[in-house]
Structure formats: C-alpha cells, structure tokens
Amino acid sequence: MRWIKISCILCIFGCFKEFRPSESFVTDYLTGPWKNFTDIQVNKEIFPVSTYSYLATLIIVFLITDFLRYKPIIILCGFSGAITFLLLTFGQDVLTMQIVEFFYGLFFSTEVAYYTYIYAKVDKKHYQEVTSHTKAAALIGRCMAGIIAQLTTSINLLNYHQLNYITIAAIVIALIWAFFLPSVDQSIYFHRKNENHTSITNNVLIASQQDNLSEVSHISQQHVKRTPMQTNLPIVQKVRQAYMLLWKDFLLAYSNSHVVKWSMWWSFSTCGYLQIISYIQLLWQTAVSSGDNIYNGAVDSLYTIIGTITVFCIGKIPLNWSFIGDIIVSFMSLVEGILLMISSYSYNIWLLYAAYIVFGIIYHTMVTVASFEVAKCISKDSYGLIFGINTFFALLLQSILTAIVVNGSLGLDLRSQYFIYGGYFIVIAILYTIIGIFNIVKHSKKCTECKIWIKNEDITTDVQHEDAEKL
C-alpha cells in the first residue's frame, strides 16, 4: 500500500497549499481602506497580469519540471505562494500589486508538478483513485479556507488584512512539508538511468457496452523504443535526446482521438473557469450595497464541500465515459453557459452566489473525469508533458480572451464580459453535441455490424448442423 502513503503525503501538501482564506475577500481587500484601489485598476491593471504571468512562466516550468524531477518545482510552488501573499500584505502601490500577480501566476504554473508528480510514483491501475484524491485534497483546503474566512470576518474576529497572515502561515507549512515528499528516482526525459530500457507500448482498450454486448476497440497501439540516456553526455546532446523523446510522446498521445477530445475540453473549460474565478468578486460587488454583509467565504466553502464529494465519488463510479462522455460534457457546458449569461444580467447576490456554486461544482467534477480519461490513454512517461500542454493551451486561450475582452479594443464592462463568457461555454456545448452525435452514430453502426455478424454466424452454424445430420 505504498501508493496510499505517497498519495496522503502529496494530499497534505495540496490541502495546505489551497488553504488561503484571504482569497475569498481579496477584491474587497484591494478596493477597501487597506489599499484603496479602484475597480477599474483592479480589473484592467492588476488582475490581468497573473493571466499573462501564468502563461509565460508555465512554458519555463514545463521545460524544467522533468529536468529537476518534480520535487524542486513543488517546493518552488510553495515558495512563490509565500512571496505572493507577503507582497500582497505589505505592498501599497499598483506596481507592487502587479509583481504580486506575477508571483501568483508562477504559483499556479508550478501546480503542474503537483498534479503530475503522483503519476510518476504510483502504478497505473491506481491513476483514477489518486487523481480524485489530489483533486479532493485541494478542494478540502479551499473549503476550510472559506469557512475560516467567513466565520472570522462575520464575528469581527479578523479583518480582511489579518486574514493574509493565516494564508501566509498555511503556505509556509506547505512549503516545509514539500521537503518531505519522496524524490522521483529518475527523470523521464533528461536523466534516464543507464540500463537496458524495455520498449514502451501504449495499448488503449476502451470497452463499450450496449444491449448486453461488449465491444473492445483498440484505439491506439504504438511501439516507441526509448533508449537509455547516458549520464555523462554533454548537456546539448542530453537536450537533443530529450527533445526527440518529447516529440515522440507528443505524437503518440495526440494521435489518439480520445486523448484529443478530452484534452480539448480540458483546455477550453479551464480557460473559461480561470477567467470566471479571476473576476467573480468584482461581479459580486456590483450586486451589494455599502454596509451589506458579504458571504464570499461561505460560498467558497459550500461549493468546495459539494465539489469534494462529487470529485471523490466520480473516481469510484464505473461509467463508460468513452460512449456517454461527449453528451454529458455538452450538457454540462450548456448549463455553465446559461448560468454565466444569467449572472451577467442579475443583480440578486444570492442568485449570483448560487450560479457560481453550481458552475464550480460542474467544472471540478468534469475536469477530474478529463484527467483520468487522458491518463488512461497515454503512456506513463508522458503525463507531465500532456498535462502541461493542455494547461498551456488553456492559458493561451485565456490570455487571448483577456487581451480581447478585458484589455482590448472592445472595452467591455464587467457584465458584458460575463455575457461573452456565457456564449463561450455555449459554443463548447454545441461543439461537443456534434461530436457526441457522431460518436453515437458510429457506435450504433458498429453494434449493428456486430449483430449482423453474430446472426450470420448462427445461420452458418445451423446449416452446418443440418448438413451433418443429413450425412
């Protein structure tokens, strides 16, 4: 049960990393008496920096994660988080807040190592479970952060500024805990052991069941020979060999239509989700008056409690996602789009809170499904690569969306921005509805052909029996 121990250690880090109670009220903190920034400064000058930083730093982090074998990047994650909230607490001008957002983007980019480290340490048969464990641990941390934030501010025990000290303490604990993570024995691309490596074969079997029939389809069966990398090679040659392996794994993974389909949804949905959570508190501010009670922390805790339960359960439910996944994804995306469009018009804070809770639950549940569906269909060596590429495309899309909608020539106000985001998810729903219909038609044809083949076999067998009786 070594995999359980490793999963628990990583989950503790993830829980403390996500325990950031000051985030529930960060917009009110920035626009309040502690910082005195305007809504326009926060929306146009401060928050967008983290989007661009996330994209830029992810490229670097993505390239060095394998070279440094995961653990140092996880430590960097804790370190950048501590710097972020220290500067947030003591900084006073827009430039300092932009530096805060830069480190915040770095903090998020280094999470790639956290979410892919576990795949380098446990057996493939446990991937679905450990994926749900790491996601659930992160959501538990957010849930506790929301509860503490709401309780302490509601009873006037702490103000928004003092919440930062709790956040800093939690992230420092996560940083220290990261040093206790087991090291990864060898790197996948840059530091391979000098031994005879066996060839890696990626056989993906997806079973589809309908009318008590089971059809097994070999979606991808590729043979990639991975030669050992000598430890005494010049760095340039190491980089060249690593690049060749990266390119082979890239082609191997994305030649699988199942991987492409789930990766596309992962990137599209993550792009929208990151955009929503970045500006949601600004939207909430437009629906409350001065002096009204704010329940941002309670909302964060409620949606993470429900999200944690659904994420944990989804890892245990044996569903045929290769067949029903497209329809479920399209329906969930449609619901998300409708919720965002309603939010763009509504000034009822309770309706805005409810829409955000449902939106967050849907995203975290479905992105967990996407994670283990992709993980099941690619070779073990390529998890960090594929997950990093999916995240990169999500951030690239988010940066384009931010540049056009937030900072661009459109000059849209906040509510118009959310209307655009709603339309974005509806377009995703339409796309996956088309893919789902095509998949169902294709599956039905295969089932029909299978039934015809079975019927012909039965007829042939009966004729053979009749001929045998005549003889």
Side-chain angles (χ1 to χ4, degrees), residues 44-200:
K44 303 286 186 179
E45 299 179 37
I46 297 176
F47 282 171
V49 175
S50 63
T51 299
Y52 304 129
S53 170
Y54 194 173
L55 175 64
T57 56
L58 180 67
I59 298 172
I60 301 173
V61 169
F62 173 70
L63 292 174
I64 67 173
T65 295
D66 180 80
F67 185 79
L68 298 178
R69 305 181 215 189
Y70 296 92
K71 183 175 176 178
I73 305 301
I74 296 176
I75 294 172
L76 177 61
C77 179
F79 178 77
S80 58
I83 294 295
T84 296
F85 287 95
L86 281 170
L87 290 176
L88 176 65
T89 304
F90 299 107
Q92 293 296 332
D93 53 58
V94 172
L95 178 60
T96 304
M97 292 303 106
Q98 289 174 335
I99 296 173
V100 167
E101 292 299 312
F102 169 80
F103 279 101
Y104 196 50
L106 177 62
F107 175 66
F108 278 114
S109 66
T110 50
E111 285 186 335
V112 172
Y114 166 71
Y115 284 113
T116 56
Y117 165 91
I118 196 69
Y119 299 118
K121 295 296 293 181
V122 304
D123 189 81
K124 189 170 185 175
K125 64 183 179 181
H126 302 300
Y127 286 160
Q128 183 169 335
E129 291 176 281
V130 296
T131 300
S132 61
H133 291 172
T134 52
K135 293 285 185 182
L139 291 175
I140 289 172
R142 294 180 195 176
C143 174
M144 296 304 298
I147 292 173
I148 295 299
Q150 192 63 57
L151 288 177
T152 54
T153 55
S154 295
I155 63 177
N156 295 320
L157 181 63
L158 297 174
N159 58 36
Y160 299 155
H161 178 74
Q162 292 165 337
L163 285 175
N164 287 317
Y165 298 116
I166 300 179
T167 300
I168 292 169
I171 293 182
V172 169
I173 292 173
L175 173 60
I176 296 172
W177 187 262
F179 287 93
F180 294 94
L181 287 170
S183 298
V184 176
D185 296 333
Q186 62 172 322
S187 170
I188 295 173
Y189 297 107
F190 287 96
H191 305 289
R192 305 188 66 83
K193 287 185 178 179
N194 187 17
E195 61 185 14
N196 292 327
H197 247 296
T198 58
S199 298
I200 297 176

Side-chain angles (χ1 to χ4, degrees), residues 151-261:
L151 288 177
T152 54
T153 55
S154 295
I155 63 177
N156 295 320
L157 181 63
L158 297 174
N159 58 36
Y160 299 155
H161 178 74
Q162 292 165 337
L163 285 175
N164 287 317
Y165 298 116
I166 300 179
T167 300
I168 292 169
I171 293 182
V172 169
I173 292 173
L175 173 60
I176 296 172
W177 187 262
F179 287 93
F180 294 94
L181 287 170
S183 298
V184 176
D185 296 333
Q186 62 172 322
S187 170
I188 295 173
Y189 297 107
F190 287 96
H191 305 289
R192 305 188 66 83
K193 287 185 178 179
N194 187 17
E195 61 185 14
N196 292 327
H197 247 296
T198 58
S199 298
I200 297 176
T201 303
N202 184 29
N203 295 323
V204 181
L205 301 177
I206 295 181
S208 300
Q209 295 180 355
Q210 185 178 24
D211 297 332
N212 298 322
L213 292 175
S214 177
E215 177 188 2
V216 179
S217 174
H218 289 266
I219 291 196
S220 175
Q221 187 171 8
Q222 307 261 358
H223 186 78
V224 179
K225 187 175 181 181
R226 310 179 75 90
T227 57
M229 184 175 285
Q230 305 290 339
T231 57
N232 59 350
L233 288 177
I235 186 65
V236 175
Q237 193 166 348
K238 279 188 177 183
V239 171
R240 186 181 296 114
Q241 290 190 16
Y243 168 77
M244 294 301 297
L245 292 177
L246 283 165
W247 182 243
K248 286 180 180 179
D249 280 341
F250 175 85
L251 293 178
L252 175 62
Y254 289 105
S255 62
N256 186 329
S257 60
H258 193 71
V259 173
V260 172
K261 179 177 64 178

